[in-house]
Amino acid sequence: MKANALDRLVTLFSKLPGIGKKSAGRIAYHILESSPVLAETLSRELSGLHQAIIRCGTCGGFTETDPCSVCSDTGRDRSIICVVESAQDMRIIEEAHEFPGVYHVLGGLIAPLDGIGPANLSINKLMDRLHSDHVKELILALNPTVEGDTTALYLQKQLKNLPITVTRLASGMPVGGNIEYIDKLTLLRSLRGRVKI
Amino acid sequence: MKANALDRLVTLFSKLPGIGKKSAGRIAYHILESSPVLAETLSRELSGLHQAIIRCGTCGGFTETDPCSVCSDTGRDRSIICVVESAQDMRIIEEAHEFPGVYHVLGGLIAPLDGIGPANLSINKLMDRLHSDHVKELILALNPTVEGDTTALYLQKQLKNLPITVTRLASGMPVGGNIEYIDKLTLLRSLRGRVKI
């Protein structure tokens, strides 16, 4: 059974994040067994994607218009900037409908082993914003990983002479978690970061 | 942050089998952050999919040419037909490189609760093949589920007056499985279907 177009599609799908070879097969066969409308719609959306979605010139998030809807929203507090690794993290925080400020997408994290230094991230642009926008607080919403910690430390050093409060997302036990199954580092962090009730 | 083209793509992806809302977001952002070539290639493959891949007129599997490469292969044993639920199951068995015969895709399983009866499946076509192709054995490679069992029973009854051996895939413990964690029905089947060593 040699079905080239199908095999090529399975291979393409299997390279997407979180999709293995079996899932890729399931998805490709699902699309083939569905109405051609599904394949056509997906095809159309994909072909127009990079033209329709651009990077916001201010925060670096994905948007259809520049500046993006967050940066151009006059109701948002420009004195608080939430620094995130990627546009996707920005989306996830935005979907929580809790943060009143604006964002800055770094475009990665400092990772010397992968050859990613501060110069590869949009840190200079962040500094420019800090000077021009009268920023009071910078929230570092970076993953609690080695790379996230390194990047947070670097930013903290860069900012220590500026009159800006630098905070970081609380790290500790996830809601619904179980002390029995939590790793030692997380337990240590939640002990150190304990809050008064 | 209103990114319509991106949101539409996330929604489309989240409707594919095995992809939840979070995975769909990850995939869409991955495509957006990758080179436009990925989106274009995926788009092209999807748009041509339903034109390139058709159903084989003999077995019902997906193929680029009719009859498919299995049905047109003169080296295969036409006296053994492996009956499968879907073209995907055919692909999976074919990838094991173990089966020397040909296939027949039913296009589903009998499921009265879902309104799927024998008339909705390609059973008549299978009967025609049995009469014209001098078939000796029919292997029912159907899932060991209620629907699979019902369909196997139905086929068995239809075939009982024909000089054809009807077999079914062995059901029992998966290789690497653990008796401690196996469900009772599977354990019962592997006991009943025990083989002499």
Side-chain angles (χ1 to χ4, degrees):
Chain A
M1 188 173 55
K2 204 178 176 194
N4 280 319
L6 192 53
D7 292 343
R8 285 198 304 270
L9 192 64
V10 172
T11 308
L12 276 172
F13 276 130
S14 69
K15 283 176 184 163
L16 297 176
I19 300 186
K21 212 175 157 243
K22 288 225 168 185
S23 311
R26 241 179 103 203
I27 293 168
Y29 276 82
H30 170 83
I31 293 174
L32 201 48
E33 280 166 359
S34 303
S35 146
V37 174
L38 174 62
E40 281 156 23
T41 314
L42 256 174
S43 168
R44 200 172 50 242
E45 292 294 348
L46 282 165
S47 86
L49 188 67
H50 281 80
Q51 279 79 53
I53 306 290
I54 52 173
R55 291 250 180 210
C56 170
T58 309
C59 70
F62 286 125
T63 174
E64 287 192 322
T65 52
D66 186 11
C68 72
S69 57
V70 174
C71 290
S72 58
D73 184 347
T74 52
R76 300 194 71 126
D77 187 352
R78 252 149 256 272
S79 70
I80 312 177
I81 296 185
C82 178
V83 178
V84 290
E85 177 186 348
S86 65
Q88 197 181 350
D89 287 351
M90 172 177 167
R91 181 198 178 92
I92 290 164
I93 295 172
E94 192 55 17
E95 279 176 353
H97 300 292
E98 181 68 30
F99 179 63
V102 291
Y103 296 87
H104 189 84
V105 177
L106 286 181
L109 293 174
I110 297 174
L113 291 177
D114 297 331
I116 302 172
N120 301 108
L121 311 177
S122 67
I123 292 178
N124 285 340
K125 210 167 175 181
L126 175 63
M127 294 304 164
D128 293 346
R129 285 182 76 184
L130 294 184
H131 288 110
S132 61
D133 278 358
H134 306 291
V135 175
K136 285 180 198 151
E137 184 178 353
L138 209 64
I139 302 174
L140 305 180
L142 307 173
N143 289 334
T145 57
V146 174
E147 289 82 11
D149 292 352
T150 309
T151 311
L153 202 68
Y154 178 85
L155 287 173
Q156 200 186 351
K157 277 187 184 170
Q158 299 290 309
L159 299 161
K160 70 175 177 214
N161 295 324
L162 295 175
I164 295 173
T165 310
V166 182
T167 58
R168 205 170 164 196
L169 290 192
S171 181
M173 286 191 54
V175 177
N178 192 321
I179 291 179
E180 200 178 338
Y181 299 115
I182 224 77
D183 65 288
K184 277 186 189 167
L185 268 176
T186 303
L187 192 59
L188 202 69
R189 281 212 184 175
S190 39
L191 263 172
R192 286 188 186 159
R194 65 191 179 277
V195 284
K196 209 171 173 184
I197 50 171
Chain B
M1 189 173 57
K2 203 180 175 193
N4 280 319
L6 192 53
D7 291 342
R8 286 199 303 269
L9 192 64
V10 171
T11 308
L12 276 171
F13 275 131
S14 68
K15 284 177 184 162
L16 297 176
I19 301 185
K21 211 176 157 241
K22 287 224 169 186
S23 310
R26 241 179 103 202
I27 294 168
Y29 275 83
H30 171 83
I31 293 174
L32 201 49
E33 281 167 359
S34 304
S35 147
V37 174
L38 174 61
E40 281 158 23
T41 314
L42 256 174
S43 168
R44 199 172 52 241
E45 292 295 348
L46 282 165
S47 85
L49 187 68
H50 280 81
Q51 279 79 52
I53 306 289
I54 51 173
R55 291 252 179 207
C56 170
T58 309
C59 71
F62 286 124
T63 173
E64 287 193 322
T65 53
D66 186 10
C68 71
S69 57
V70 174
C71 289
S72 58
D73 184 347
T74 51
R76 300 195 70 127
D77 187 352
R78 253 147 255 272
S79 70
I80 312 177
I81 296 184
C82 179
V83 178
V84 290
E85 176 187 348
S86 64
Q88 198 183 350
D89 287 352
M90 172 176 167
R91 181 198 178 92
I92 290 164
I93 295 173
E94 192 55 17
E95 279 176 352
H97 299 293
E98 182 68 32
F99 179 62
V102 291
Y103 296 87
H104 189 84
V105 177
L106 287 181
L109 294 173
I110 297 174
L113 291 178
D114 297 330
I116 302 172
N120 302 106
L121 311 177
S122 67
I123 291 178
N124 285 341
K125 210 168 175 181
L126 175 64
M127 295 302 162
D128 293 345
R129 284 181 78 183
L130 295 182
H131 289 109
S132 61
D133 278 0
H134 307 291
V135 175
K136 285 180 196 149
E137 184 177 354
L138 210 63
I139 302 174
L140 305 181
L142 307 174
N143 289 334
T145 57
V146 174
E147 290 80 11
D149 292 353
T150 309
T151 311
L153 202 69
Y154 178 86
L155 286 173
Q156 199 186 353
K157 278 187 184 170
Q158 299 290 308
L159 298 161
K160 70 174 179 218
N161 295 324
L162 295 175
I164 296 172
T165 310
V166 182
T167 58
R168 206 174 163 194
L169 290 192
S171 181
M173 286 190 56
V175 176
N178 192 322
I179 293 179
E180 199 177 337
Y181 299 115
I182 223 78
D183 64 290
K184 277 186 191 169
L185 268 175
T186 304
L187 192 59
L188 202 70
R189 284 213 184 174
S190 40
L191 262 173
R192 285 187 186 161
R194 65 191 179 279
V195 285
K196 211 172 171 184
I197 50 170

